[in-house]
mmCIF file of all heavy atoms in Angstrom:
data_model
loop_
_atom_site.group_PDB
_atom_site.id
_atom_site.type_symbol
_atom_site.label_atom_id
_atom_site.label_comp_id
_atom_site.label_asym_id
_atom_site.label_seq_id
_atom_site.Cartn_x
_atom_site.Cartn_y
_atom_site.Cartn_z
ATOM 1 N N PHE U 138 12.442 24.638 -2.292
ATOM 2 C CA PHE U 138 13.456 23.661 -2.690
ATOM 3 C C PHE U 138 13.967 23.948 -4.104
ATOM 4 O O PHE U 138 15.169 23.869 -4.366
ATOM 5 C CB PHE U 138 12.865 22.244 -2.603
ATOM 6 C CG PHE U 138 13.871 21.173 -2.892
ATOM 7 C CD1 PHE U 138 14.990 21.013 -2.087
ATOM 8 C CD2 PHE U 138 13.720 20.329 -3.978
ATOM 9 C CE1 PHE U 138 15.940 20.044 -2.358
ATOM 10 C CE2 PHE U 138 14.655 19.351 -4.256
ATOM 11 C CZ PHE U 138 15.764 19.212 -3.448
ATOM 12 N N PHE U 141 16.334 26.765 -4.065
ATOM 13 C CA PHE U 141 17.604 26.306 -3.502
ATOM 14 C C PHE U 141 18.426 25.542 -4.552
ATOM 15 O O PHE U 141 19.613 25.821 -4.756
ATOM 16 C CB PHE U 141 17.295 25.412 -2.291
ATOM 17 C CG PHE U 141 18.494 24.795 -1.655
ATOM 18 C CD1 PHE U 141 19.431 25.591 -1.018
ATOM 19 C CD2 PHE U 141 18.679 23.417 -1.682
ATOM 20 C CE1 PHE U 141 20.557 25.021 -0.430
ATOM 21 C CE2 PHE U 141 19.793 22.845 -1.091
ATOM 22 C CZ PHE U 141 20.730 23.649 -0.461
ATOM 23 N N CYS U 142 17.762 24.624 -5.238
ATOM 24 C CA CYS U 142 18.466 23.821 -6.263
ATOM 25 C C CYS U 142 18.977 24.728 -7.385
ATOM 26 O O CYS U 142 20.092 24.544 -7.877
ATOM 27 C CB CYS U 142 17.544 22.761 -6.872
ATOM 28 S SG CYS U 142 17.043 21.518 -5.696
ATOM 29 N N TYR U 145 22.345 26.245 -7.075
ATOM 30 C CA TYR U 145 23.523 25.347 -7.186
ATOM 31 C C TYR U 145 23.406 24.516 -8.467
ATOM 32 O O TYR U 145 23.253 23.291 -8.405
ATOM 33 C CB TYR U 145 23.606 24.399 -5.989
ATOM 34 C CG TYR U 145 23.866 25.083 -4.666
ATOM 35 C CD1 TYR U 145 22.813 25.407 -3.817
ATOM 36 C CD2 TYR U 145 25.163 25.406 -4.276
ATOM 37 C CE1 TYR U 145 23.045 26.031 -2.606
ATOM 38 C CE2 TYR U 145 25.404 26.027 -3.059
ATOM 39 C CZ TYR U 145 24.340 26.343 -2.229
ATOM 40 O OH TYR U 145 24.574 26.958 -1.029
ATOM 41 N N PRO U 146 23.439 25.157 -9.622
ATOM 42 C CA PRO U 146 23.157 24.432 -10.866
ATOM 43 C C PRO U 146 24.170 23.336 -11.196
ATOM 44 O O PRO U 146 23.884 22.454 -12.002
ATOM 45 C CB PRO U 146 23.174 25.537 -11.941
ATOM 46 C CG PRO U 146 23.889 26.684 -11.331
ATOM 47 C CD PRO U 146 23.735 26.590 -9.852
ATOM 48 N N ASP U 147 25.344 23.390 -10.568
ATOM 49 C CA ASP U 147 26.373 22.381 -10.873
ATOM 50 C C ASP U 147 26.200 21.109 -10.035
ATOM 51 O O ASP U 147 26.970 20.173 -10.174
ATOM 52 C CB ASP U 147 27.770 22.972 -10.642
ATOM 53 C CG ASP U 147 27.963 23.438 -9.203
ATOM 54 O OD1 ASP U 147 26.962 23.888 -8.573
ATOM 55 O OD2 ASP U 147 29.089 23.336 -8.687
ATOM 56 N N ARG U 148 25.203 21.071 -9.163
ATOM 57 C CA ARG U 148 25.062 19.900 -8.271
ATOM 58 C C ARG U 148 23.951 18.953 -8.715
ATOM 59 O O ARG U 148 22.903 19.397 -9.185
ATOM 60 C CB ARG U 148 24.789 20.353 -6.822
ATOM 61 C CG ARG U 148 26.010 20.972 -6.194
ATOM 62 C CD ARG U 148 25.817 21.321 -4.740
ATOM 63 N NE ARG U 148 27.078 21.823 -4.206
ATOM 64 C CZ ARG U 148 27.949 21.076 -3.523
ATOM 65 N NH1 ARG U 148 27.670 19.841 -3.214
ATOM 66 N NH2 ARG U 148 29.094 21.599 -3.105
ATOM 67 N N THR U 149 24.179 17.674 -8.524
ATOM 68 C CA THR U 149 23.170 16.656 -8.810
ATOM 69 C C THR U 149 22.198 16.593 -7.634
ATOM 70 O O THR U 149 22.621 16.524 -6.472
ATOM 71 C CB THR U 149 23.859 15.278 -8.984
ATOM 72 O OG1 THR U 149 24.828 15.414 -10.025
ATOM 73 C CG2 THR U 149 22.884 14.192 -9.338
ATOM 74 N N VAL U 150 20.897 16.608 -7.935
ATOM 75 C CA VAL U 150 19.884 16.677 -6.864
ATOM 76 C C VAL U 150 19.388 15.262 -6.520
ATOM 77 O O VAL U 150 18.780 14.583 -7.354
ATOM 78 C CB VAL U 150 18.700 17.568 -7.297
ATOM 79 C CG1 VAL U 150 17.650 17.634 -6.198
ATOM 80 C CG2 VAL U 150 19.189 18.976 -7.653
ATOM 81 N N VAL U 151 19.677 14.857 -5.290
ATOM 82 C CA VAL U 151 19.252 13.532 -4.823
ATOM 83 C C VAL U 151 18.237 13.722 -3.700
ATOM 84 O O VAL U 151 18.560 14.361 -2.693
ATOM 85 C CB VAL U 151 20.454 12.705 -4.296
ATOM 86 C CG1 VAL U 151 20.004 11.308 -3.885
ATOM 87 C CG2 VAL U 151 21.561 12.622 -5.333
ATOM 88 N N VAL U 152 17.019 13.226 -3.885
ATOM 89 C CA VAL U 152 16.022 13.371 -2.812
ATOM 90 C C VAL U 152 15.585 12.004 -2.282
ATOM 91 O O VAL U 152 15.538 11.014 -3.006
ATOM 92 C CB VAL U 152 14.779 14.204 -3.241
ATOM 93 C CG1 VAL U 152 15.170 15.580 -3.696
ATOM 94 C CG2 VAL U 152 13.935 13.495 -4.266
ATOM 95 N N ARG U 163 11.550 17.639 -9.334
ATOM 96 C CA ARG U 163 12.667 18.588 -9.478
ATOM 97 C C ARG U 163 14.032 17.901 -9.307
ATOM 98 O O ARG U 163 15.078 18.505 -9.438
ATOM 99 C CB ARG U 163 12.508 19.718 -8.443
ATOM 100 C CG ARG U 163 13.636 20.753 -8.411
ATOM 101 C CD ARG U 163 13.809 21.432 -9.757
ATOM 102 N NE ARG U 163 14.952 22.349 -9.829
ATOM 103 C CZ ARG U 163 16.204 21.989 -10.038
ATOM 104 N NH1 ARG U 163 16.532 20.716 -10.178
ATOM 105 N NH2 ARG U 163 17.157 22.902 -10.122
ATOM 106 N N SER U 164 14.017 16.599 -8.987
ATOM 107 C CA SER U 164 15.271 15.919 -8.646
ATOM 108 C C SER U 164 15.876 15.167 -9.835
ATOM 109 O O SER U 164 15.217 14.932 -10.845
ATOM 110 C CB SER U 164 15.021 14.937 -7.498
ATOM 111 O OG SER U 164 14.301 13.817 -7.984
ATOM 112 N N ASP U 165 17.141 14.792 -9.659
ATOM 113 C CA ASP U 165 17.796 13.921 -10.638
ATOM 114 C C ASP U 165 17.688 12.455 -10.214
ATOM 115 O O ASP U 165 17.650 11.558 -11.049
ATOM 116 C CB ASP U 165 19.280 14.297 -10.755
ATOM 117 C CG ASP U 165 19.461 15.736 -11.206
ATOM 118 O OD1 ASP U 165 18.925 16.089 -12.263
ATOM 119 O OD2 ASP U 165 20.109 16.521 -10.478
ATOM 120 N N TRP U 166 17.699 12.237 -8.901
ATOM 121 C CA TRP U 166 17.592 10.879 -8.355
ATOM 122 C C TRP U 166 16.618 10.876 -7.179
ATOM 123 O O TRP U 166 16.640 11.803 -6.369
ATOM 124 C CB TRP U 166 18.939 10.413 -7.789
ATOM 125 C CG TRP U 166 19.990 10.090 -8.788
ATOM 126 C CD1 TRP U 166 20.818 10.983 -9.413
ATOM 127 C CD2 TRP U 166 20.367 8.787 -9.252
ATOM 128 N NE1 TRP U 166 21.674 10.313 -10.241
ATOM 129 C CE2 TRP U 166 21.432 8.968 -10.156
ATOM 130 C CE3 TRP U 166 19.912 7.494 -8.985
ATOM 131 C CZ2 TRP U 166 22.039 7.894 -10.802
ATOM 132 C CZ3 TRP U 166 20.526 6.420 -9.625
ATOM 133 C CH2 TRP U 166 21.571 6.626 -10.531
ATOM 134 N N VAL U 167 15.829 9.809 -7.082
ATOM 135 C CA VAL U 167 15.082 9.531 -5.848
ATOM 136 C C VAL U 167 15.731 8.294 -5.235
ATOM 137 O O VAL U 167 16.093 7.369 -5.964
ATOM 138 C CB VAL U 167 13.593 9.236 -6.140
ATOM 139 C CG1 VAL U 167 12.865 8.795 -4.868
ATOM 140 C CG2 VAL U 167 12.900 10.471 -6.706
ATOM 141 N N VAL U 176 23.865 4.823 -4.093
ATOM 142 C CA VAL U 176 23.659 5.797 -5.182
ATOM 143 C C VAL U 176 24.619 6.977 -5.023
ATOM 144 O O VAL U 176 25.326 7.345 -5.968
ATOM 145 C CB VAL U 176 22.189 6.297 -5.223
ATOM 146 C CG1 VAL U 176 22.047 7.502 -6.145
ATOM 147 C CG2 VAL U 176 21.267 5.182 -5.688
ATOM 148 N N VAL U 177 24.688 7.547 -3.824
ATOM 149 C CA VAL U 177 25.555 8.723 -3.631
ATOM 150 C C VAL U 177 27.026 8.309 -3.788
ATOM 151 O O VAL U 177 27.833 9.059 -4.361
ATOM 152 C CB VAL U 177 25.272 9.409 -2.279
ATOM 153 C CG1 VAL U 177 26.261 10.535 -2.021
ATOM 154 C CG2 VAL U 177 23.844 9.968 -2.258
ATOM 155 N N HIS U 179 28.130 6.073 -5.806
ATOM 156 C CA HIS U 179 28.313 5.982 -7.251
ATOM 157 C C HIS U 179 28.499 7.375 -7.849
ATOM 158 O O HIS U 179 29.389 7.604 -8.682
ATOM 159 C CB HIS U 179 27.091 5.273 -7.857
ATOM 160 C CG HIS U 179 26.934 5.435 -9.321
ATOM 161 N ND1 HIS U 179 27.705 4.726 -10.223
ATOM 162 C CD2 HIS U 179 26.120 6.232 -10.053
ATOM 163 C CE1 HIS U 179 27.360 5.097 -11.452
ATOM 164 N NE2 HIS U 179 26.404 5.993 -11.376
ATOM 165 N N LEU U 180 27.679 8.343 -7.414
ATOM 166 C CA LEU U 180 27.788 9.709 -7.938
ATOM 167 C C LEU U 180 29.134 10.331 -7.555
ATOM 168 O O LEU U 180 29.771 11.007 -8.371
ATOM 169 C CB LEU U 180 26.632 10.579 -7.417
ATOM 170 C CG LEU U 180 25.229 10.162 -7.885
ATOM 171 C CD1 LEU U 180 24.152 10.994 -7.193
ATOM 172 C CD2 LEU U 180 25.088 10.310 -9.402
ATOM 173 N N ALA U 181 29.565 10.064 -6.312
ATOM 174 C CA ALA U 181 30.855 10.617 -5.857
ATOM 175 C C ALA U 181 32.001 10.052 -6.708
ATOM 176 O O ALA U 181 32.922 10.779 -7.074
ATOM 177 C CB ALA U 181 31.061 10.299 -4.381
ATOM 178 N N GLN U 183 31.851 9.306 -9.724
ATOM 179 C CA GLN U 183 31.812 9.998 -11.034
ATOM 180 C C GLN U 183 32.247 11.465 -10.896
ATOM 181 O O GLN U 183 32.171 12.219 -11.856
ATOM 182 C CB GLN U 183 30.389 10.014 -11.624
ATOM 183 C CG GLN U 183 29.636 8.702 -11.615
ATOM 184 C CD GLN U 183 30.246 7.694 -12.568
ATOM 185 O OE1 GLN U 183 30.485 8.014 -13.718
ATOM 186 N NE2 GLN U 183 30.526 6.514 -12.065
ATOM 187 N N GLY U 184 32.611 11.873 -9.695
ATOM 188 C CA GLY U 184 33.049 13.254 -9.463
ATOM 189 C C GLY U 184 31.899 14.237 -9.356
ATOM 190 O O GLY U 184 32.108 15.451 -9.461
ATOM 191 N N GLU U 185 30.683 13.742 -9.132
ATOM 192 C CA GLU U 185 29.528 14.650 -9.052
ATOM 193 C C GLU U 185 29.360 15.206 -7.636
ATOM 194 O O GLU U 185 29.535 14.486 -6.649
ATOM 195 C CB GLU U 185 28.249 13.922 -9.488
ATOM 196 C CG GLU U 185 28.295 13.566 -10.971
ATOM 197 C CD GLU U 185 26.988 12.978 -11.472
ATOM 198 O OE1 GLU U 185 25.923 13.437 -11.046
ATOM 199 O OE2 GLU U 185 27.065 12.034 -12.290
ATOM 200 N N LYS U 186 28.998 16.466 -7.570
ATOM 201 C CA LYS U 186 28.689 17.107 -6.284
ATOM 202 C C LYS U 186 27.173 17.035 -6.085
ATOM 203 O O LYS U 186 26.425 17.143 -7.062
ATOM 204 C CB LYS U 186 29.150 18.562 -6.290
ATOM 205 C CG LYS U 186 30.674 18.679 -6.373
ATOM 206 C CD LYS U 186 31.169 20.085 -6.114
ATOM 207 C CE LYS U 186 30.980 20.980 -7.310
ATOM 208 N NZ LYS U 186 31.490 22.340 -7.120
ATOM 209 N N VAL U 187 26.748 16.889 -4.844
ATOM 210 C CA VAL U 187 25.347 16.510 -4.590
ATOM 211 C C VAL U 187 24.608 17.531 -3.723
ATOM 212 O O VAL U 187 25.172 18.066 -2.772
ATOM 213 C CB VAL U 187 25.337 15.110 -3.904
ATOM 214 C CG1 VAL U 187 23.972 14.768 -3.332
ATOM 215 C CG2 VAL U 187 25.803 14.033 -4.881
ATOM 216 N N ILE U 188 23.325 17.767 -4.070
ATOM 217 C CA ILE U 188 22.373 18.388 -3.133
ATOM 218 C C ILE U 188 21.561 17.232 -2.568
ATOM 219 O O ILE U 188 21.027 16.421 -3.334
ATOM 220 C CB ILE U 188 21.419 19.363 -3.853
ATOM 221 C CG1 ILE U 188 22.150 20.643 -4.232
ATOM 222 C CG2 ILE U 188 20.198 19.689 -2.974
ATOM 223 C CD1 ILE U 188 21.282 21.619 -5.010
ATOM 224 N N TRP U 189 21.474 17.157 -1.254
ATOM 225 C CA TRP U 189 20.714 16.083 -0.603
ATOM 226 C C TRP U 189 19.513 16.681 0.139
ATOM 227 O O TRP U 189 19.636 17.702 0.811
ATOM 228 C CB TRP U 189 21.606 15.329 0.397
ATOM 229 C CG TRP U 189 20.802 14.426 1.294
ATOM 230 C CD1 TRP U 189 20.284 14.744 2.518
ATOM 231 C CD2 TRP U 189 20.363 13.108 0.998
ATOM 232 N NE1 TRP U 189 19.563 13.681 3.011
ATOM 233 C CE2 TRP U 189 19.596 12.660 2.095
ATOM 234 C CE3 TRP U 189 20.551 12.236 -0.082
ATOM 235 C CZ2 TRP U 189 19.012 11.409 2.142
ATOM 236 C CZ3 TRP U 189 19.968 10.979 -0.034
ATOM 237 C CH2 TRP U 189 19.210 10.578 1.069
ATOM 238 N N ALA U 190 18.350 16.040 0.046
ATOM 239 C CA ALA U 190 17.178 16.516 0.806
ATOM 240 C C ALA U 190 16.237 15.335 1.059
ATOM 241 O O ALA U 190 16.225 14.372 0.294
ATOM 242 C CB ALA U 190 16.444 17.606 0.015
ATOM 243 N N ASP U 206 30.864 15.109 -1.795
ATOM 244 C CA ASP U 206 30.719 16.549 -1.598
ATOM 245 C C ASP U 206 29.221 16.845 -1.612
ATOM 246 O O ASP U 206 28.584 16.821 -2.660
ATOM 247 C CB ASP U 206 31.446 17.278 -2.750
ATOM 248 C CG ASP U 206 31.366 18.793 -2.622
ATOM 249 O OD1 ASP U 206 30.442 19.292 -1.956
ATOM 250 O OD2 ASP U 206 32.223 19.474 -3.211
ATOM 251 N N MET U 207 28.631 17.073 -0.432
ATOM 252 C CA MET U 207 27.168 17.197 -0.315
ATOM 253 C C MET U 207 26.752 18.468 0.405
ATOM 254 O O MET U 207 27.370 18.853 1.386
ATOM 255 C CB MET U 207 26.603 16.013 0.502
ATOM 256 C CG MET U 207 26.503 14.726 -0.259
ATOM 257 S SD MET U 207 26.190 13.344 0.854
ATOM 258 C CE MET U 207 24.491 13.573 1.322
ATOM 259 N N ILE U 208 25.672 19.068 -0.068
ATOM 260 C CA ILE U 208 24.981 20.114 0.688
ATOM 261 C C ILE U 208 23.643 19.508 1.080
ATOM 262 O O ILE U 208 22.938 18.970 0.221
ATOM 263 C CB ILE U 208 24.714 21.356 -0.179
ATOM 264 C CG1 ILE U 208 26.013 21.943 -0.702
ATOM 265 C CG2 ILE U 208 23.961 22.406 0.624
ATOM 266 C CD1 ILE U 208 25.796 23.106 -1.642
ATOM 267 N N PRO U 346 13.568 10.330 -12.214
ATOM 268 C CA PRO U 346 14.466 9.944 -11.119
ATOM 269 C C PRO U 346 14.068 8.650 -10.419
ATOM 270 O O PRO U 346 14.935 7.924 -9.916
ATOM 271 C CB PRO U 346 14.374 11.126 -10.150
ATOM 272 C CG PRO U 346 13.100 11.827 -10.484
ATOM 273 C CD PRO U 346 12.880 11.610 -11.933
ATOM 274 N N ARG U 349 15.335 5.916 -12.619
ATOM 275 C CA ARG U 349 16.799 5.870 -12.509
ATOM 276 C C ARG U 349 17.183 5.005 -11.301
ATOM 277 O O ARG U 349 18.099 4.195 -11.365
ATOM 278 C CB ARG U 349 17.290 7.305 -12.326
ATOM 279 C CG ARG U 349 18.676 7.536 -12.790
ATOM 280 C CD ARG U 349 18.991 9.018 -12.900
ATOM 281 N NE ARG U 349 18.798 9.535 -14.229
ATOM 282 C CZ ARG U 349 18.449 10.797 -14.508
ATOM 283 N NH1 ARG U 349 18.234 11.655 -13.536
ATOM 284 N NH2 ARG U 349 18.316 11.193 -15.747
#
Side-chain angles (χ1 to χ4, degrees):
F138 184 62
F141 176 66
C142 294
Y145 294 96
D147 59 328
R148 289 185 176 263
T149 303
V150 180
V151 183
V152 302
R163 177 58 185 81
S164 73
D165 300 304
W166 288 82
V167 174
V176 168
V177 174
H179 164 77
L180 295 174
Q183 313 292 310
E185 293 186 38
K186 294 191 282 182
V187 168
I188 286 177
W189 168 268
D206 181 337
M207 283 167 73
I208 300 176
R349 206 166 265 150

